[in-house]
Amino acid sequence: MDSDLRDRQRPESTGAASSAEYDALVIGAGFAGLYMLYRLRGLGLSVRVLEAASGIGGTWYWNRYPGARCDVESMQYSYQFSDELQQEWEWTERYATQPEILRYANHVADRFDLRRDIELDTRVTVAAFDDTTSRWRIETEDGRRMSAKFCIMATGCLSSTNTPKFEGLERFAGAVYHTGRWPHEPVDFTGKRVGVIGTGSSAIQAIPVIAAQADHLYVFQRTPHYTVPARNAPLTRDVVQNIKANYAQLRNNAKQMFAGIDFHLNQQSALDASADERRREYEARWQHGGVTFMGSFTDLLFNKEANDTAAQFVRDKIRETVRDPAIAAALSPRYVIGCKRLCVDTDYYATYNRPNVTLVDLGGAPIEAITATGVKVGGKEYSVDSLVLATGFDAMTGALTRIDIRGTGGETLREKWSAGPRAYLGLMSAGFPNLFMITGPGSPSVLTNMLPSIEQHVEWITECLAHLNKHGIKQIEPALDAENAWIVHVNEVAGTNLRSTCSSWYVGANVPGKPRIFMPYIGGFPAYVQKCNEVVAAGYAGFTLS
Ligand code: N01
């Protein structure tokens, strides 16, 4: 790397320093930040990764709630940039548990000697672009300052937790846990009455495990979510060896798929199939387990009538599983299946047959209040000793807007995004030169397997920085018209998909006051990658390089 990119390089890459200067600062040490560090080092840049947590792993560091595991299969929810890594690492279950994924992240950090450039317990509060020096000034919560030519946000899509302003929450005398900020010490619910608020993916994983331990569990449900069985199981030696022998093929197949996951997508329309054929297909996928249920037919997310057939199949399963018809009805969603993110569970519906579990259906109404001893709903108080808030995240934008990010002329990202996020390809936002986002809003991100999406962004950014260096370019940012055109496209594509039709965190509906915009790009991983590659091939079309 020549002096253009390294002009203010720190003399060495270990140890903290005040007012330190780097080529690049990466915010976040989850899977995105770790790989970004590895690649930037490969360019010969001085890099520092700043991480708010006391350990690496991002979402897998924080989300330690009972039952937490990934619902993308472990052999695919892993890096592919190093064949040695993917050959040597041994996943033990079809869906890896949170501790196993965290061990994997730590293994990666050690294997590639990443830790010496990561500062833990370092929360970034300010990132401001200095127009005179063309550098990003970073301030941390503990008052340190650093600067860098490039600032890369690896802050995650689901990392800023959402705690609704429940009236009286601060008065609750028992323990309160958020699934996204679970304590590191074991939490024992034995003999306790526990209240879980929320029934999204986190709750659906936690509820069966907490129910098996607690004296009594109350589940406060605002909206029922669809969930399909995981059918988790230990990975056999044969399965692992077979995948490892053909890993490149599997990874390539996955890249051709909408969600970046290799699986069999039935190309038939649900409406062209007979009722019997549909039942057989849904049943086979239900028995197989996992999110690939939505691949039963090609039009489930494009045609409401087709979608209804899948939704009805799941409602029938709920009725068959849950003995009390009134509870089964309350657990049965009526909206488009796959609109809110499809959940994957182990024994979720069956848990409602347990005598120590009570479903409190809010019927869309708000929780009235939290008292010192319980949760008040419809004039009735449910006494609990502990509260679990499984209330999700300020998704996609929260981790970015809670940092005071200031671009050219002092414009804040918060102001710019006040009516919804605006970014070109979800990678950069006009007015914020040399600031990159990994899996930002407007990229496929949360609609895909996050690992290949992260790798694609990291590799795009790496190639971009190498290009800038090669051509002596100091600054890159999107042209406003290209950014606007991309947002129009993101919205147009969203409008063709049933996923944009309900209240979900994809549209910011879970956070009061958040603008309702479908935030991820729903055109699919292959189309998105093609667009990114075309932009590069055309000399970074849509970007201003100076
Ligand atoms: O959060 P959520 P999550 N009063 O937003 C309810 C990923 N993930 O943490 O549906 C009462 O889905 C809210 O109700 P409603 C995955 O992408 C992955 O579960 O808005 N209730 C909902 O039921 C997932 O989609 C994995 O009406 C309130 C719940 O809280 C994403 O993270 C595992 C409320 C929040 O559900 C987020 O999942 C876990 C209020 N004021 C998570 N506010 C795996 O890979 C909110 N709720 C397995």
Side-chain angles (χ1 to χ4, degrees):
M1 191 56 57
D2 74 18
S3 60
D4 267 353
L5 288 182
R6 304 185 62 178
D7 51 6
R8 312 286 288 272
Q9 189 187 343
R10 245 168 36 91
E12 57 187 37
S13 64
T14 53
S18 60
S19 257
E21 300 188 338
Y22 302 93
D23 297 322
L25 282 164
V26 177
I27 320 300
F31 282 126
L34 294 178
Y35 185 39
M36 195 73 249
L37 168 59
Y38 174 76
R39 281 291 176 182
L40 293 178
R41 272 203 197 147
L43 288 182
L45 299 187
S46 65
V47 190
R48 208 72 179 157
V49 179
L50 309 177
E51 168 57 59
S54 301
I56 63 156
T59 197
W60 300 107
Y61 173 88
W62 295 108
N63 286 267
R64 298 165 181 249
Y65 58 84
R69 58 174 80 235
C70 185
D71 58 13
V72 175
E73 296 191 18
S74 47
M75 297 298 289
Q76 300 204 48
Y77 189 81
S78 49
Y79 288 121
Q80 58 191 289
F81 71 85
S82 158
D83 192 45
E84 293 78 17
L85 171 66
Q86 68 180 3
Q87 291 296 334
E88 76 196 11
W89 181 261
E90 296 290 338
W91 294 107
T92 63
E93 292 178 73
R94 180 178 174 191
Y95 300 98
T97 60
Q98 173 271 331
E100 188 166 63
I101 301 172
L102 192 57
R103 275 199 299 281
Y104 172 71
N106 278 281
H107 169 75
V108 170
D110 291 332
R111 192 189 191 289
F112 297 99
D113 185 25
L114 300 177
R115 292 187 199 276
R116 65 190 158 86
D117 285 321
I118 302 174
E119 286 184 35
L120 301 174
D121 298 308
T122 302
R123 181 174 290 284
V124 171
T125 51
V126 179
F129 186 72
D130 184 332
D131 295 296
T132 53
T133 60
S134 288
R135 292 179 67 79
W136 281 91
R137 280 190 304 98
I138 303 295
E139 292 176 25
T140 65
E141 201 169 50
D142 58 5
R144 281 177 298 149
R145 287 162 183 256
M146 307 167 203
S147 82
K149 185 160 183 180
F150 301 103
C151 183
I152 299 158
M153 295 295 177
T155 40
C157 296
L158 294 158
S159 46
S160 178
T161 52
N162 170 44
T163 299
K165 291 188 177 17
F166 294 119
E167 144 78 21
L169 179 60
E170 67 292 345
R171 289 197 300 272
F172 183 67
V176 180
Y177 308 98
H178 193 294
T179 47
R181 287 289 178 277
W182 202 261
H184 288 218
E185 312 73 51
V187 176
D188 186 3
F189 290 119
T190 308
K192 297 240 184 326
R193 292 161 306 169
V194 182
V196 172
I197 301 180
T199 50
S201 299
S202 303
I204 278 173
Q205 289 185 329
I207 282 166
V209 184
I210 297 175
Q213 203 179 56
D215 182 45
H216 200 95
L217 173 63
Y218 296 94
V219 178
F220 298 92
Q221 170 186 271
R222 184 164 69 179
T223 318
H225 288 225
Y226 291 96
T227 176
V228 296
R231 312 276 181 216
N232 186 41
L235 279 170
T236 64
R237 229 178 124 71
D238 280 357
V239 166
V240 171
Q241 279 179 347
N242 192 28
I243 290 177
K244 286 190 174 177
N246 301 286
Y247 233 144
Q249 183 66 49
L250 176 135
R251 300 295 198 179
N252 281 333
N253 292 347
K255 284 180 181 163
Q256 311 313 315
M257 300 297 289
F258 184 93
I261 301 174
D262 182 33
F263 75 101
H264 172 62
L265 170 64
N266 185 359
Q267 295 296 342
Q268 195 184 11
S269 153
L271 303 179
D272 289 344
S274 69
D276 266 0
E277 283 169 331
R278 277 199 299 266
R279 222 180 354 261
R280 271 201 303 277
E281 185 70 25
Y282 291 140
E283 185 63 37
R285 300 220 177 212
W286 184 267
Q287 293 309 329
H288 177 71
V291 285
T292 58
F293 180 81
M294 291 307 291
S296 300
F297 295 98
T298 192
D299 49 356
L300 295 185
L301 284 169
F302 298 96
N303 183 310
K304 176 72 167 59
E305 209 186 324
N307 188 282
D308 284 343
T309 65
Q312 189 55 47
F313 177 86
V314 176
R315 285 193 289 267
D316 290 346
K317 286 290 182 190
I318 299 171
R319 222 181 36 246
E320 284 166 24
T321 311
V322 179
R323 283 196 291 269
D324 182 328
I327 296 173
L331 287 168
S332 297
R334 294 282 151 194
Y335 52 87
V336 162
I337 183 170
C339 191
K340 288 171 181 280
R341 188 176 181 279
L342 186 65
C343 303
V344 176
D345 72 277
T346 299
D347 295 335
Y348 178 68
Y349 293 124
T351 296
Y352 291 92
N353 292 330
R354 295 178 62 106
N356 71 330
V357 175
T358 302
L359 178 70
V360 183
D361 185 26
L362 306 176
I367 283 175
E368 266 171 65
I370 310 284
T371 66
T373 52
V375 180
K376 215 166 153 192
V377 174
K380 182 172 173 190
E381 183 173 331
Y382 297 86
S383 296
V384 295
D385 305 303
S386 309
L387 258 185
V388 174
L389 306 180
T391 45
F393 302 89
D394 182 356
M396 306 215 64
T397 55
L400 292 163
T401 53
R402 78 178 174 189
I403 299 173
D404 185 7
I405 301 176
R406 291 173 182 264
T408 46
E411 182 189 24
T412 68
L413 195 75
R414 256 177 235 150
E415 281 156 14
K416 181 177 172 185
W417 287 13
S418 59
R422 306 193 72 78
Y424 182 38
L425 301 172
L427 274 163
M428 299 192 86
S429 191
F432 298 82
N434 294 352
L435 180 96
F436 296 87
M437 293 169 273
I438 301 176
T439 64
S443 75
S445 58
V446 291
L447 300 175
T448 63
N449 180 1
M450 285 302 285
L451 266 288
S453 279
I454 284 171
E455 286 187 319
Q456 186 256 340
H457 264 193
V458 167
E459 286 159 15
W460 193 96
I461 294 167
T462 306
E463 192 183 335
C464 174
L465 297 196
H467 175 86
L468 300 187
N469 178 56
K470 186 170 167 203
H471 298 280
I473 299 160
K474 292 210 174 300
Q475 222 165 278
I476 179 168
E477 70 173 293
L480 200 53
D481 57 348
E483 181 172 290
N484 290 341
W486 180 249
I487 291 160
V488 168
H489 176 60
V490 168
N491 287 325
E492 269 171 10
V493 184
T496 65
N497 195 297
L498 294 173
R499 264 189 164 144
S500 61
T501 59
C502 70
S503 296
S504 70
W505 57 258
Y506 293 134
V507 297
N510 61 327
V511 177
K514 193 166 172 171
R516 284 220 177 190
I517 305 278
F518 194 84
M519 293 181 285
Y521 176 59
I522 204 166
F525 185 76
Y528 176 78
V529 173
Q530 189 186 338
K531 169 74 182 173
C532 288
N533 293 344
E534 282 168 7
V535 163
V536 174
Y540 290 86
F543 287 96
T544 305
L545 286 70
S546 55

